[in-house]
Amino acid sequence: MVPSPSSSLILFCLTVSLLLLLLPLPSHCADPDPLLDLCVANLTASASSSNFPCKLPSEVTADDFVFDGLSKQGNVTNLFGVAVTTGNVLSFPGLNTLGLSMNRVDFGPGGINPPHSHPRASEIGIVIEGKILSGIVTTKKCVLRHLPGSTVLPLSLFAAAPSIPMEVLTKTYLVDEDAINAVKSKFVF
């Protein structure tokens, strides 16, 4: 018996469907903004929300891939006793679209890097000389990835357990201990 055209089509569709189920499917677990191997920032153009447009390949120079800021000690004679030398796309155009940046942070005696966050980055610190006190302020909440979550900063800063050291708070907000204690007293539950 010769199969009819309609049964051949059904058999073909079933075979293709079975193959699609058995073959590995491509992964869709990547960053929604694909990174480019070479997209040196055109710093004279306007940046988008995440990157600068690429220079033409004929305009790319070796200097676009050189950053010596990490080798230079920063001036720590300021209010916080800290200097940050940024190694991001603005000072190192070759980093454009790679999702990378690096900073050098110099601390003077008693210097402080005020509590801060990086909404689009993770942070790692490497101490080359001396010692620093470092900590993480957390909300103590487990948030599902698809929920936006929230952090009430005054609670995280002034009602944390264990508490943030008084010296960190007084230096961050440029006030004395009495002012910090006055604010903390509002968060006693």
Side-chain angles (χ1 to χ4, degrees), residues 161-175:
S163 64
I164 296 175
M166 182 63 75
E167 182 181 13
V168 171
L169 294 173
T170 57
K171 285 187 173 187
T172 296
Y173 293 103
L174 307 174
V175 295

Side-chain angles (χ1 to χ4, degrees), residues 8 11 117 119 183:
S8 294
L11 181 61
S117 69
V183 173

Side-chain angles (χ1 to χ4, degrees), residues 21-174:
L21 288 173
L22 296 176
L23 293 175
L25 297 175
S27 172
H28 297 288
C29 299
D31 189 323
D33 300 317
L35 303 177
L36 301 173
D37 288 336
L38 180 65
C39 177
V40 175
N42 178 353
L43 298 178
T44 62
S46 297
S48 68
S49 62
S50 59
N51 297 304
F52 281 91
C54 305
K55 277 185 173 182
L56 295 173
S58 60
E59 296 173 354
V60 174
T61 68
D63 289 339
D64 292 322
F65 300 96
V66 175
F67 176 67
D68 64 355
L70 299 180
S71 65
K72 299 174 183 173
Q73 186 172 359
N75 180 357
V76 297
T77 58
N78 58 55
L79 198 55
F80 293 113
V82 67
V84 179
T85 305
T86 57
N88 56 32
V89 69
L90 297 174
S91 58
F92 194 170
L95 293 178
N96 194 40
T97 74
L98 296 179
L100 298 171
S101 68
M102 56 192 138
N103 298 331
R104 175 183 173 140
V105 182
D106 293 290
F107 292 92
I112 182 172
N113 190 7
H116 62 282
S117 69
H118 299 281
R120 293 175 305 282
S122 297
E123 182 173 309
I124 186 169
I126 300 170
V127 179
I128 303 298
E129 183 180 322
K131 294 180 181 182
I132 63 169
L133 170 65
S134 180
I136 297 173
V137 178
T138 160
T139 61
K140 294 186 180 180
K141 294 179 186 174
C142 179
V143 179
L144 296 174
R145 292 197 80 188
H146 63 276
L147 297 177
S150 66
T151 300
V152 180
L153 288 177
L155 290 175
S156 296
L157 294 173
F158 297 106
S163 64
I164 296 175
M166 182 63 75
E167 182 181 13
V168 171
L169 294 173
T170 57
K171 285 187 173 187
T172 296
Y173 293 103
L174 307 174

